[in-house]
Amino acid sequence: MLSDKMVTAFNDQINAEIYSAYFYLAMNAYFESKSLAGFSHWMRMQAQEEMLHAMKIYDYVNERGGQVVLDTIAKPPARWNSAQEVFADVLAHEQKVTGLINELMNLALDERDHASAGFLQWFVSEQVEEESNVGAVVDKLQLIGADTSGLFVLDQELGTRLPPTVP
Ligand code: FEO
């Protein structure tokens, strides 16, 4: 059985993961409007992955006898000026999510909830991967600068991202 504190914290994280999906869907819409199909595809895959993260926590709360309580999802931004600006926001967002996961892990350890700490370890590793993947795109965009042919090549590359699998 989860403590009330853990249930509240997991519910907050479910909200944060669904917001992440919303955030990336907004970026998907932005890239759609710019006809950058590869960037757009990457964002759609990212949004789907975030919903899988939310559902992984959702299922865990149920499994441990807690009640999932859903809350309002905040409105995401809608406008950016460049792919560089979008991916700077993605990296900042993922760094923020890493902080939230670390806080959850700290709480699980404080509560002596070893099952939750074990469960959260997957998310700790996932955030390392997310930050690394996004950081690589940020670096490439920095190299590309205002070179539209470079942007086109990266668009092709991002368009090959495979759909996420259930974690
Ligand atoms: Fe669910 Fe991108 O962290």
Side-chain angles (χ1 to χ4, degrees):
M1 186 85 179
L2 290 170
S3 69
D4 289 347
K5 258 190 186 173
M6 287 306 301
V7 171
T8 302
F10 276 127
N11 275 324
D12 288 348
Q13 191 60 32
I14 290 170
N15 188 274
E17 299 290 347
I18 297 177
Y19 173 76
S20 296
Y22 219 34
F23 185 67
Y24 294 128
L25 200 56
M27 291 170 169
N28 168 265
Y30 166 76
F31 284 124
E32 281 289 323
S33 78
K34 299 292 173 197
S35 298
L36 283 165
F39 281 92
S40 168
H41 169 82
W42 192 96
M43 287 299 170
R44 190 170 294 215
M45 296 302 102
Q46 185 74 4
Q48 287 178 12
E49 187 169 292
E50 297 301 349
M51 280 308 298
L52 293 175
H53 292 171
M55 293 312 295
K56 188 176 173 76
I57 301 169
Y58 183 103
D59 289 341
Y60 177 73
V61 171
N62 283 322
E63 193 183 353
R64 295 286 314 280
Q67 186 183 341
V68 171
V69 178
L70 298 176
D71 204 345
T72 311
I73 307 298
K75 182 177 175 177
R79 300 195 200 292
W80 292 268
N81 291 311
S82 63
Q84 278 87 350
E85 207 177 281
V86 174
F87 269 87
D89 278 4
V90 174
L91 186 57
H93 182 71
E94 288 302 331
Q95 287 165 342
K96 191 175 144 199
V97 173
T98 298
L100 295 176
I101 295 292
N102 286 339
E103 286 301 314
L104 256 174
M105 179 63 102
N106 289 341
L107 181 63
L109 296 173
D110 285 349
E111 297 276 298
R112 308 235 191 294
D113 183 346
H114 296 271
S116 291
F119 170 76
L120 285 164
Q121 189 56 50
W122 183 88
F123 283 89
V124 171
S125 304
E126 175 69 8
Q127 284 309 121
V128 172
E129 199 183 309
E130 291 236 8
E131 284 193 35
S132 166
N133 291 342
V134 173
V137 179
V138 168
D139 289 347
K140 283 177 187 173
L141 281 166
Q142 198 170 5
L143 282 172
I144 287 167
D147 170 18
T148 49
S149 58
L151 194 68
F152 179 73
V153 171
L154 183 58
D155 189 58
Q156 302 282 101
E157 183 189 320
L158 295 182
T160 63
R161 180 174 174 175
L162 297 172
T165 50
V166 176

